[in-house]
Amino acid sequence: MRNQKPSPPILKARRHVASNSKFDLFFDHLVETPDRDVADFLVVQPRISAPGGIVGICVLPVVDDKFALVDCYRHPLGEMSLEAPKGFIDPGESAAQAALRELSEETGLSCAAADLIPFGTVTTEPGVINGRVAMFAAAKCGGVLRVDHSEIGLAAVRLFSPAELDAEIGAERIKDAVTLLLLCRYRAAPRP
C-alpha cells in the first residue's frame, strides 16, 4: 500500500480573481478527505501555451567558451539578478522559435537553428503555475552584445568564463532556479 497514489483533491469551485496580458489568476476551492479544505488555493494560468504546456523558454547563449547572462532588476525581489535570457511563447510560436527570438531581443546575439540545443523542460513552481519552461543552449553565438532598454529592468548583458560563472553562483548573484538548472544540465551534457 505504500506505493498507492493518493486521490487528487476535489475541485469544488474556481474563482477568477485577476488577469493581465500574460496570466489569469484563480482561487480554487479544493477539498481532500477526510478534513482538508482550502478555499483560496492560488493557481496562475499563463494565457498562451505551446504543445506540451510550454509557456516560456530559457536560453543559455554560448560565445566561444563563455556564457552570456543578462543583469536584470527583479521587482518582486527588489534586487538585481544574473539570468539566462528568457521569455514567453508568442501565439503560434514554437519553443525553439521563441528561444531564437528572445536570444536576439535580450542579448543582440544569434545562432543557427541547428545550433540550438534542447535541454528539456522545467516546471518553475508546480504548486502554483500551470506551465513548463523549455530550456535551450544556443551554441556558436555571434553578433554584438547589447541590452534591450525597452524592456523594464534589463541593465546589461555580460560574458562569463566558467570560472567567473562559478564565482557568481557562489556569491549568489545568480538566483534564478531555471538559469541554475540549465547551467547544470549544460555542464553535465557530453560534448562532441
Side-chain angles (χ1 to χ4, degrees):
M1 289 284 176
R2 288 192 317 178
N3 291 335
Q4 185 179 11
K5 289 183 180 178
S7 297
I10 297 166
L11 175 63
K12 290 187 76 173
R14 170 168 272 193
R15 184 167 48 104
H16 186 261
V17 294
S19 62
N20 66 15
S21 63
K22 301 293 182 187
F23 298 102
D24 285 312
L25 294 137
F26 299 93
F27 282 159
D28 285 357
H29 184 175
L30 300 178
V31 176
E32 190 176 60
T33 56
D35 59 355
R36 287 184 261 186
D37 187 303
V38 178
D40 59 354
F41 190 96
L42 177 64
V43 176
V44 177
Q45 179 67 51
R47 300 187 105 187
I48 298 169
S49 68
I54 305 296
V55 299
I57 62 85
C58 184
V59 58
L60 179 64
V62 182
V63 181
D64 299 320
D65 293 328
K66 294 187 175 188
F67 305 95
L69 296 181
V70 178
D71 201 5
C72 50
Y73 178 78
R74 291 302 183 199
H75 173 69
L77 298 176
E79 55 190 53
M80 299 300 290
S81 177
L82 284 170
E83 302 176 5
K86 33 184 192 297
F88 293 100
I89 298 279
D90 283 344
E93 192 175 47
S94 71
Q97 290 167 330
L100 292 170
R101 177 181 51 76
E102 289 291 342
L103 174 68
S104 174
E105 287 177 3
E106 293 195 9
T107 68
L109 299 173
S110 64
C111 80
D115 291 323
L116 196 62
I117 306 162
F119 278 95
T121 65
V122 62
T123 53
T124 58
E125 186 53 56
V128 176
I129 302 172
N130 181 12
R132 297 180 179 281
V133 173
M135 297 182 294
F136 298 90
K140 302 177 187 171
C141 283
V144 177
L145 287 178
R146 63 158 177 72
V147 67
D148 179 4
H149 292 290
S150 69
E151 193 164 329
I152 286 180
L154 294 188
V157 180
R158 301 181 355 218
L159 291 175
F160 296 90
S161 70
E164 291 168 329
L165 206 55
D166 289 341
E168 296 296 334
I169 292 169
E172 296 185 17
R173 284 187 283 271
I174 301 175
K175 301 169 181 71
D176 175 58
V178 178
T179 298
L180 290 166
L181 179 60
L182 179 51
L183 285 166
C184 268
R185 287 189 183 174
Y186 180 85
R187 288 176 160 185
R191 299 283 170 260

